Amino acid sequence: MKIKQKTWQNILAGVIIGTIVMLLTILIREAGMIETVELKSIDYRFKRRGPIEDIRERSPIVVVALDQESWESIPYRFPYPRKMWGKVVRNLKDAGAKLIVFDFQFDTHDINDLHSDTLFAEAIEYAGNVILPSKLNQEIVRGHVIQHITEPVDLFYDACLTTGLIGELKDIDQYTRNYSIFYPLKDKYYLFLGMKAIKEYLGIHDSVKMAFSGDMNFIEYGPLRIRHNNGNSFMINYYGPAKTFSSYSLSSVLDDAETDLRGDYDTDYMELWKGDKSVYPKELLSILNPTGEDSPFKDKIVLIGDALEEHFDTKFTPFYNYEGMTNLMAGVETHAHAMQTVLDGNYLIKPDKWVNNIVVLVLSVLALIITITLGPVWGIIIISLLILGYSYLSFYLFNENRIIIELFIPILAVFLSYAFDMLYEFILEQREKKKIRGMFSTYISPKILKYLEEHPDAFTLTGEKREATMFFSDVQSFTTISESLNPEDLAMLLNKYLSPMTQILMSYDGYVDKYEGDAIMCDFGVPVEDDEHARKACWAALEQQKKISELRPELKKEYGVEIYVRMGINSGLVSAGNMGSEQRFQYTVMGDAVNSASRFEGANKQYGTYLMIGESTYNLAKPFIEARMLDRLIVKGKARPITVYNLMAKKGEATEAELKLIEWYEKGLNLYWNQKWDDAIDAFRKALEFVPGDPPSERFIQRCRDFKITPPPDHWQGEFIMTTK
C-alpha cells in the first residue's frame, strides 16, 4: 500500500472541501431533491425491524371496518341509512365499548329517510360515548384563504360526546407517515380525531391546555408528553402492516338477532357479547361461550372506518410492500397506529438538523482525509466500509432506540467528498487548465409564443402600458355546490365547465390569465395588440352564457347542481408583462381597469344579472352589441360613479321583447335619476310587461319605493354605492 505523505495542506483542503460538501448537501436536502429516497430508507428500516409485537393482546384499540365481507353481506345499499349506524352504535355500547369513534363523516342529512337520522341520534345519545369527525375546509376566495370547520349536522353534534378533526398529512411520495395533533384556528385549538379519542379515554379535562416543554421537543398535555415534528404533528411508529390491530367486519358488529345479513354471514354474532341486552337466554349464551370469554369490545376504543379500496380511504404506509405482498392500509387503521404511538409514548426521534449537519461534516472530512492520504483505490475501499458501517448504525439506532438518522444525505456527502477530492487532485496536477466555473448554473426553458420571439422587450418585469379588455367570471354559489359533491365529482364538474369556456375564450384570441378554482380571468388585447379586444370579449362572454345554458340541464342531470355564471368585463389602460421575481414570474395585467372588471363580476349580485360591462367597454363595442344602461355604480374602493351596462346580445340578435325592455328600462332609469319615483316605477313595470321577472327592473321598483319613504341626500346624482367586493 502506498501511503501518501500527510501534510497540513491536505488536512486544510479536507476541511474546506468537507464544509463545501456539507453546505451543498444541506442545499440538496432543503430543495427536496432526494427527499423521496430518504423517506424510502425510513420505510426500509420499518420493514427490517418488522412488527414490534402482537399488539392485539394489550392494545385498548380495535378496528371495525367496512370491508369486502361487509359489502357483500349488509342488506342495505351504500351510503348506508343512518338507522343502520344507530344499530352499530347500540350493539357496541351493549358489548361494553368504552369509546366509539367514527371515521365516517355525517355532515349531511339522510335524504332518503330523515327519521333514520333521528334513530341514529337517539342511538348516539343512548351510548353517550360516540366521537364524530369534523372537517377542516380551506377555500381560496379572490386570493384569500378562508378556513372553517364543518361539523356533523346539529342533530348528531348535539347528541355525540365530542368531535375531532380528520385530515391526513401526506409526504411528497403520497405516503402517510405523520399524524396531526391539533390545528389552531381563530385563537382556538382543535384536536384531531385520534388525539380527541385519547383525551376522552384518559379522562383529560377540557380545562387542561397544551404547552410546549422547556426544551421545545415535546407537547405536554395532561399526562402525555408528545414528541412533535414542526409543532403540531408527530411521526407514526407503525406497529406493523395492515390489520395489525384487532379488526372486525362492520357486518359482524351489525349482526344480531334483529338484523339479517345476506347469505351465510348471518350468525347473530353480537348476541354473544351484549350481556343482559342479548335476546338469547343465558343458558344458550353459556353454551355458545362456555369459557365466559369477555366481549372483544369491552372497555375498548372502537374505531369505525372504511377499508374498501374503491372508496379511496386507504393509505400507503411504510409497510405497504412487506414480505413480498402489497397492502394498502385502511385510513381508520392509521388512526389506530398513531393513537397507540401516543398511548405507549413510543415516539420516533429525529435529531435536529444541526446534528445531521455535524454528521455530514465529520463524514465528509473523514472521507476526504482517507482519500487524500490513501489514494483513490484504497480510499474507495475504506470509504465503502465506512458507508456500510454508517448504514448498520442507522438500522441499529432505529431498532433499539427509535432514532431516525439521515441515511442518504450523509452517504451522498461521502461520495461527493470522494468526487471532490478527485477533482481537487485533478486541479493540482493540471494547473494549466481553467478553474472550475461552478457546480450549478441557472437555466430556463419556457414555451415561447411567436410574439415573445418577435418582441422580447415587451416582456419585462416592469411591464408596459397597453389598452386591453379584461374578463372575469365566477360560478354563482360555488361554495354550496362544492360542499354538495365529493372531490371526484367536483373535479369532473369543473372540467366539463371550464373546458368549453376556455375554448370559447381562446377562439376569440383571449389570453387565459389564470384559474382560481371555478373563477376565470382572461385578457383581450394582450400580449398581442388587437383593436377589437372589447368586441371579442363581449362576444366571447355571450357565447359562454349560451353554452352554459346548453350545459345546465346535462350538469343538473349528472351532478344534481345548476350552474349559473356571473361575468364582468372592463376595458382600459393596464400594465402588461411578466410580473414576479427573476426566478418565478407570470405574464399578467394589472391596474384599475383590471380591478374594476373584477368588481363588475361581483356587482351582478346587486342586480340579478349575469353579464356586466363597464362604460369604456360599451363605448368600444357599441356597434357590435345590444346592451342596456344598468346603473351608475360606485364600486368598493372608488369615489366616482361608473356607468355600467348589462350585456344582452350581439348586434341584431336581440329579440323584440328585449329591445322593448331596454327602451323602457332606460326610460325608467332616467326618471329614477331625476327622482321622479312614481313615473320611474311605471316605466319599470312597463319593462316587466315585455320580460316578466326581469331582476333589475324589479329591484329598481323597490329602490324607488324606498326612496319615496327615505329620500336620497341633496347631492345625490343617481349613484349606487357598493359596500362589498
Side-chain angles (χ1 to χ4, degrees):
M1 182 191 309
K2 180 180 179 181
I3 306 296
K4 288 188 177 181
Q5 182 68 36
K6 293 183 179 180
T7 64
W8 284 108
Q9 290 84 353
N10 286 344
I11 294 174
L12 180 60
V15 173
I16 293 174
I17 296 175
T19 302
I20 294 173
V21 168
M22 180 190 72
L23 295 175
L24 182 58
T25 52
I26 290 173
L27 288 174
I28 292 172
R29 177 206 295 141
E30 295 303 317
M33 294 173 66
I34 63 170
E35 182 179 356
T36 300
V37 177
E38 193 66 52
L39 291 171
K40 296 305 181 186
S41 79
I42 296 174
D43 296 346
Y44 186 67
R45 279 172 259 189
F46 269 105
K47 295 167 192 171
R48 291 278 297 180
R49 185 206 68 189
I52 293 178
E53 58 179 301
D54 188 359
I55 196 66
R56 299 185 181 196
E57 297 299 324
R58 65 175 184 83
S59 175
I61 302 169
V62 297
V63 175
V64 172
L66 169 55
D67 54 11
Q68 191 61 39
E69 177 182 321
S70 304
W71 188 259
E72 295 173 357
S73 60
I74 290 177
Y76 300 105
R77 294 186 63 183
F78 190 85
Y80 299 133
R82 300 290 163 74
K83 63 183 180 181
M84 188 208 82
W85 294 114
K87 169 63 71 173
V88 169
V89 169
R90 289 180 181 274
N91 283 352
L92 288 172
K93 175 63 177 178
D94 294 342
K98 183 168 184 177
L99 285 175
I100 302 170
V101 184
F102 276 94
D103 192 24
F104 287 102
Q105 286 186 265
F106 298 101
D107 54 356
T108 59
H109 288 286
D110 189 334
I111 59 175
N112 296 316
D113 184 1
L114 291 179
H115 180 61
S116 186
D117 281 349
T118 302
L119 296 177
F120 184 35
E122 290 174 350
I124 294 173
E125 194 167 0
Y126 164 76
N129 62 355
V130 176
I131 300 177
L132 297 178
S134 55
K135 182 78 171 180
L136 174 67
N137 291 301
Q138 299 187 12
E139 301 173 11
I140 298 179
V141 180
R142 292 180 175 82
H144 298 284
V145 177
I146 306 299
Q147 298 178 318
H148 61 90
I149 305 296
T150 301
E151 299 284 4
V153 295
D154 292 344
L155 189 65
F156 308 143
Y157 182 82
D158 294 339
C160 71
L161 176 63
T162 186
T163 63
L165 284 178
I166 56 173
E168 63 178 313
L169 294 175
K170 286 186 178 181
D171 288 323
I172 191 172
D173 59 353
Q174 301 302 303
Y175 274 58
T176 301
R177 300 183 182 88
N178 297 278
Y179 195 83
S180 295
I181 303 169
F182 64 90
Y183 191 85
L185 183 63
K186 298 179 181 177
D187 300 324
K188 186 176 180 181
Y189 290 89
Y190 292 85
L191 290 176
F192 276 78
L193 189 65
M195 290 304 305
K196 185 60 75 74
I198 290 172
K199 170 189 177 297
E200 298 298 335
Y201 180 74
L202 298 179
I204 300 175
H205 196 270
D206 290 343
S207 62
V208 177
K209 304 297 182 184
M210 287 186 172
F212 286 98
S213 61
D215 59 7
M216 301 301 290
N217 288 327
F218 295 88
I219 293 176
E220 296 177 343
Y221 185 45
L224 301 174
R225 276 173 58 85
I226 305 168
R227 191 172 193 94
H228 66 85
N229 296 330
N230 304 319
N232 65 344
S233 65
F234 61 90
M235 282 195 72
I236 304 172
N237 192 351
Y238 282 95
Y239 285 74
K243 298 185 179 179
T244 293
F245 286 82
S246 296
S247 182
Y248 299 86
S249 293
L250 177 63
S251 57
S252 297
V253 176
L254 188 62
D255 185 19
D256 62 8
E258 294 180 359
T259 304
D260 294 327
L261 300 181
R262 294 192 184 104
D264 297 331
Y265 294 105
D266 189 41
T267 63
D268 296 349
Y269 173 74
M270 289 301 291
E271 296 297 340
L272 292 175
W273 315 119
K274 291 168 65 173
D276 294 339
K277 300 291 185 178
S278 176
V279 299
Y280 282 10
K282 292 183 179 180
E283 294 79 6
L284 178 57
L285 291 175
S286 64
I287 295 173
L288 297 174
N289 185 13
T291 61
E293 180 182 350
D294 284 338
S295 163
F297 308 104
K298 183 179 180 182
D299 299 326
K300 300 289 187 179
I301 304 172
V302 182
L303 302 177
I304 306 174
D306 200 333
L308 289 173
E309 291 187 22
E310 297 88 343
H311 289 179
F312 304 106
D313 193 26
T314 49
K315 317 297 179 187
F316 291 98
T317 71
F319 283 98
Y320 169 64
N321 193 340
Y322 181 63
E323 292 187 342
M325 297 182 64
T326 56
N327 287 295
L328 290 167
M329 183 177 290
V332 66
E333 195 172 349
T334 62
H335 291 295
H337 287 271
M339 291 167 61
Q340 195 66 48
T341 300
V342 175
L343 291 173
D344 289 345
N346 196 27
Y347 301 107
L348 298 172
I349 303 167
K350 296 183 75 172
D352 293 333
K353 286 185 178 180
W354 69 266
V355 175
N356 290 320
N357 294 340
I358 293 297
V359 170
V360 167
L361 178 60
V362 170
L363 289 176
S364 300
V365 172
L366 184 58
L368 281 163
I369 292 174
I370 290 172
T371 306
I372 292 172
T373 303
L374 301 180
V377 178
W378 280 102
I380 194 65
I381 294 173
I382 301 302
I383 285 175
S384 298
L385 294 175
L386 178 65
I387 290 173
L388 289 174
Y390 181 78
S391 300
Y392 174 81
L393 177 65
S394 71
F395 289 109
Y396 176 83
L397 291 176
F398 183 80
N399 290 345
E400 301 298 326
N401 304 100
R402 306 189 309 279
I403 296 175
I404 299 177
I405 60 174
E406 286 185 332
L407 181 58
F408 277 94
I409 286 288
I411 291 175
L412 175 63
V414 169
F415 279 117
L416 284 176
S417 297
Y418 181 82
F420 269 69
D421 178 64
M422 294 299 99
L423 185 60
Y424 172 70
E425 294 288 344
F426 179 78
I427 292 173
L428 291 179
E429 294 172 0
Q430 306 291 328
R431 293 179 183 273
E432 70 281 3
K433 294 185 178 180
K434 294 180 181 180
K435 294 182 179 179
I436 300 174
R437 295 180 179 179
M439 294 298 295
F440 295 96
S441 62
T442 58
Y443 62 92
I444 187 169
S445 56
K447 296 181 178 179
I448 303 174
L449 299 173
K450 184 178 180 181
Y451 184 82
L452 295 176
E453 296 172 344
E454 296 175 352
H455 305 85
D457 294 338
F459 287 76
T460 63
L461 293 176
T462 54
E464 63 173 345
K465 294 297 183 182
R466 296 280 287 275
E467 284 286 341
T469 297
M470 281 60 62
F471 164 94
F472 285 82
S473 70
D474 199 12
V475 176
Q476 178 177 286
S477 303
F478 183 71
T479 300
T480 302
I481 292 172
S482 64
E483 290 174 351
S484 68
L485 299 174
N486 62 49
E488 293 77 13
D489 285 347
L490 181 61
M492 293 177 66
L493 173 70
L494 278 175
N495 287 338
K496 289 187 176 182
Y497 159 67
L498 291 174
S499 295
M501 298 303 103
T502 302
Q503 186 177 359
I504 292 170
L505 291 168
M506 296 182 72
S507 71
Y508 280 94
D509 300 326
Y511 168 70
V512 179
D513 196 315
K514 60 179 65 70
Y515 299 102
E516 289 186 5
D518 61 299
I520 303 174
M521 174 183 175
C522 186
D523 313 322
F524 294 82
V526 293
V528 180
E529 291 187 18
D530 188 342
D531 293 337
E532 293 189 282
H533 53 83
R535 176 191 69 82
K536 290 182 177 180
C538 291
W539 282 21
L542 289 167
E543 287 199 19
Q544 284 187 92
Q545 289 292 352
K546 181 180 178 182
K547 184 64 177 179
I548 291 165
S549 297
E550 296 171 359
L551 284 173
R552 192 174 295 123
E554 176 187 339
L555 298 179
K556 172 70 173 177
K557 180 179 180 181
E558 191 166 353
Y559 301 101
V561 297
E562 289 189 306
I563 296 292
Y564 292 89
V565 181
R566 292 186 288 262
M567 299 175 182
I569 301 173
N570 193 44
S571 304
L573 196 64
V574 299
S575 178
N578 284 340
M579 307 297 177
S581 67
E582 293 285 356
Q583 293 78 25
R584 185 176 179 86
F585 50 81
Q586 178 185 350
Y587 186 84
T588 188
V589 294
M590 299 179 69
D592 282 345
V594 181
N595 298 333
S596 294
S598 176
R599 298 289 192 272
F600 294 164
E601 177 274 310
N604 280 292
K605 299 177 187 177
Q606 304 293 333
Y607 303 91
T609 56
Y610 292 101
L611 270 174
M612 185 182 295
I613 65 176
E615 185 173 17
S616 57
T617 303
Y618 175 77
N619 290 334
L620 290 169
K622 185 177 180 180
F624 310 102
I625 60 173
E626 301 286 359
R628 62 171 155 179
M629 187 181 296
L630 192 60
D631 202 357
R632 290 173 182 160
L633 185 65
I634 298 179
V635 298
K636 185 174 176 60
K638 298 294 181 182
R640 297 178 59 185
I642 304 170
T643 302
V644 293
Y645 294 78
N646 176 205
L647 178 61
M648 301 183 70
K650 296 178 182 179
K651 197 71 173 180
E653 294 186 6
T655 64
E656 187 65 30
E658 288 173 331
L659 293 174
K660 287 292 185 181
L661 169 71
I662 294 172
E663 177 187 346
W664 283 101
Y665 179 88
E666 292 186 349
K667 286 181 181 179
L669 193 61
N670 281 293
L671 291 167
Y672 165 82
W673 286 338
N674 290 312
Q675 302 187 34
K676 297 180 179 180
W677 312 124
D678 290 328
D679 292 341
I681 289 173
D682 291 339
F684 288 128
R685 284 175 173 167
K686 189 68 175 177
L688 286 169
E689 291 179 9
F690 295 99
V691 181
D694 177 55
S697 299
E698 292 179 340
R699 296 186 186 191
F700 268 89
I701 289 173
Q702 185 59 48
R703 279 200 208 172
C704 292
R705 290 170 178 167
D706 293 340
F707 278 140
K708 287 177 67 176
I709 298 171
T710 307
D714 294 338
H715 61 274
W716 185 74
Q717 296 181 336
E719 68 275 5
F720 175 73
I721 301 175
M722 281 189 62
T723 57
T724 63
K725 295 182 180 181

